[in-house]
Amino acid sequence: MENIETAPSLEKIKNYDAVILIKPSGIQRKTINLILNLCIRRNILPTNYSKIKLTEEDVEELYPEEIDKDFFPGMVEHLTSDYNYAIGFSGNPDDIRKIKTEIIPKWPLGIRGIFANSKNPSENLIRNIAHSPTIEETQNQISTFERFFDKSKDTKETLCSGKKFIFTCGLSESGKSTFCKYLDSKGIQRVKIRKIFELLAKEDNIPIEELDRWVKEREKEDPFVLWENFLEKLVEYSNEIGKDNLVLDTLWGGGLGFFVHMYKGCHLVHIDANREKRVGFQSGRENISTEEADSLLLERDRKKIKSGVEHLFSICDSTITNNSTLEEFQTKIDDYIAKLTK
């Protein structure tokens, strides 16, 4: 029998190799989710974030070489005018360097060029969406970034205190629903991620048929606010039904999985099965031939992969393989429950 693979415990609060600072202009132009997705597609994965108000001293620490420049007072005025987001990322050095060369290079290239002010080009030196120091600069400014991230550390450690929220992910027909249903039978209630978003939308009087549009609009406006609301609602729902342990079915791509993984009490589980096994599941479920099942699965996999779900697999706390019998899969799930609850 194959064992459960458990990832090394990640340092959820301090694990990062690069930082992007999204400025007030970037927040106002609704670029947060765009920047996150551009990074994730390049395997530059978000590991931390904090919403912060900067002081003049903070700006001086971030831009030591610009202090004597004529435009520096304007930079201070802009960066201290409203909230900024500091987002930490992890990745290998070659991928991390793409932040500076492809995503946030000097204006007029990259995202700064896309959102440039064509009517007043001089403003693009200041209100230029985002800032990202080089790998070397990040290391030199590490105490500054630690201070930024410490501002949200308590929330990440206490929001889900006393809870165990298990978020599942995997390719189609890998056994995610079987995993969730089995946990449900063991007292860890199964909850659809969509249900929590439905509860949030209901508070805004959004009809169910408009839920997907509403979520996309909220993610575009400020994904962190939406995802914070999601976790708060999940905690509220957990308290209402009197269940501290829940299994969430199912994560796709995008930033939600990375976001919840930053919070203590949230666990990501990758359910993995080889293609032969998944084709068999698809064939049996739909009562179709192996060839038809393979074709159908190929299309479903394309959609999943396009969503970016494969990037989540590398940060999962556990991977449970499902390539043998149902009984062996259930035995692995029992082992997982024992490790989780001990």
Side-chain angles (χ1 to χ4, degrees):
M1 184 185 72
E2 296 164 294
N3 294 323
I4 297 172
E5 297 175 19
T6 303
S9 178
L10 293 178
E11 187 74 34
K12 295 188 179 184
I13 303 302
K14 296 184 179 180
N15 178 36
Y16 60 89
D17 302 307
V19 176
I20 292 177
L21 183 77
I22 301 182
K23 303 176 183 181
S25 55
I27 296 173
Q28 293 159 10
R29 301 295 294 276
K30 301 178 181 179
T31 65
I32 305 165
N33 206 40
L34 173 60
I35 291 171
L36 286 173
N37 286 325
L38 288 172
C39 289
I40 291 169
R41 288 174 199 161
R42 291 164 173 79
N43 212 34
I44 306 165
L45 307 181
T47 57
N48 208 342
Y49 82 102
S50 190
K51 190 175 185 178
I52 50 175
K53 280 293 289 283
L54 297 181
T55 66
E56 182 173 350
E57 290 73 21
D58 292 330
V59 181
E60 290 175 351
E61 288 182 29
L62 291 172
Y63 295 91
E65 296 180 359
E66 315 290 355
I67 292 176
D68 296 328
K69 301 288 179 65
D70 292 341
F71 57 79
F72 188 73
M75 183 181 291
V76 172
E77 180 181 2
H78 174 56
L79 289 171
T80 60
S81 66
D82 208 338
Y83 284 100
N84 302 255
Y85 273 115
I87 309 173
F89 293 87
S90 67
N92 69 57
D94 288 341
D95 289 331
I96 290 294
R97 289 189 178 91
K98 293 176 184 176
I99 296 176
K100 297 292 287 186
T101 61
E102 298 180 10
I103 302 173
I104 313 176
K106 291 184 177 181
W107 174 78
L109 302 176
I111 198 167
R112 289 171 168 172
I114 294 171
F115 291 93
N117 186 339
S118 59
K119 294 181 179 179
N120 190 359
S122 63
E123 282 210 355
N124 295 319
L125 288 172
I126 299 171
R127 300 176 181 272
N128 56 7
I129 307 299
H131 163 71
S132 182
T134 64
I135 295 175
E136 294 73 23
E137 288 169 339
T138 299
Q139 295 304 311
N140 292 336
Q141 297 173 350
I142 196 164
S143 61
T144 303
F145 296 129
E146 292 294 350
R147 183 158 43 82
F148 293 165
F149 292 131
D150 280 346
K151 293 179 185 294
S152 61
K153 182 177 179 179
D154 287 345
T155 300
K156 295 188 184 79
E157 291 186 340
T158 61
L159 178 60
C160 304
S161 179
K163 309 290 185 183
K164 285 187 173 65
F165 296 144
I166 304 164
F167 291 81
T168 56
C169 64
L171 293 177
S172 299
E173 300 299 334
S174 58
K176 300 181 299 296
S177 294
T178 302
F179 173 81
C180 293
K181 290 175 182 177
Y182 188 72
L183 260 62
D184 193 89
S185 73
K186 297 292 183 177
I188 301 176
Q189 186 164 320
R190 178 192 187 193
V191 179
K192 290 281 189 178
I193 288 175
R194 187 178 181 86
K195 178 180 180 63
I196 305 303
F197 281 120
E198 288 176 354
L199 293 174
L200 280 177
K202 186 177 180 181
E203 294 178 351
D204 281 359
N205 298 314
I206 303 298
I208 295 298
E209 58 269 20
E210 294 184 23
L211 178 65
D212 292 338
R213 175 194 59 79
W214 178 81
V215 169
K216 286 181 181 178
E217 288 180 355
R218 290 285 308 273
E219 283 189 333
K220 182 178 180 181
E221 183 175 346
D222 188 329
F224 290 120
V225 170
L226 174 63
W227 299 334
E228 286 168 359
N229 293 161
F230 171 89
L231 265 188
E232 290 164 354
K233 179 58 66 176
L234 180 59
V235 171
E236 180 183 311
Y237 179 76
S238 169
N239 292 336
E240 286 177 356
I241 64 175
K243 297 280 189 179
D244 290 332
N245 300 336
L246 301 174
V247 57
L248 282 297
D249 186 9
T250 301
L251 285 169
W252 278 60
L256 177 62
F258 294 99
F259 174 83
V260 298
H261 193 249
M262 300 175 195
Y263 282 73
K264 186 176 181 180
C266 294
H267 306 261
L268 267 61
V269 179
H270 172 207
I271 306 301
D272 188 28
N274 61 38
R275 185 163 188 83
E276 180 182 358
K277 191 74 173 178
R278 294 192 297 119
V279 168
F281 287 147
Q282 184 77 74
S283 176
R285 181 194 298 273
E286 303 288 341
N287 193 26
I288 56 179
S289 70
T290 299
E291 291 75 17
E292 291 173 312
D294 188 69
S295 178
L296 181 58
L297 194 64
L298 183 63
E299 182 58 31
R300 296 179 67 188
D301 282 352
R302 282 175 181 157
K303 291 180 180 178
K304 279 262 186 173
I305 292 168
K306 186 178 180 181
S307 80
V309 71
E310 286 187 311
H311 294 294
L312 277 178
F313 300 163
S314 65
I315 70 162
C316 284
D317 301 288
S318 297
T319 295
I320 303 178
T321 53
N322 181 24
N323 291 328
S324 188
T325 65
L326 175 62
E327 290 73 20
E328 289 199 7
F329 187 42
Q330 290 175 340
T331 298
K332 293 179 187 180
I333 300 173
D334 287 334
D335 291 343
Y336 171 78
I337 295 171
K339 291 178 180 180
L340 190 71
T341 57
K342 70 178 179 180

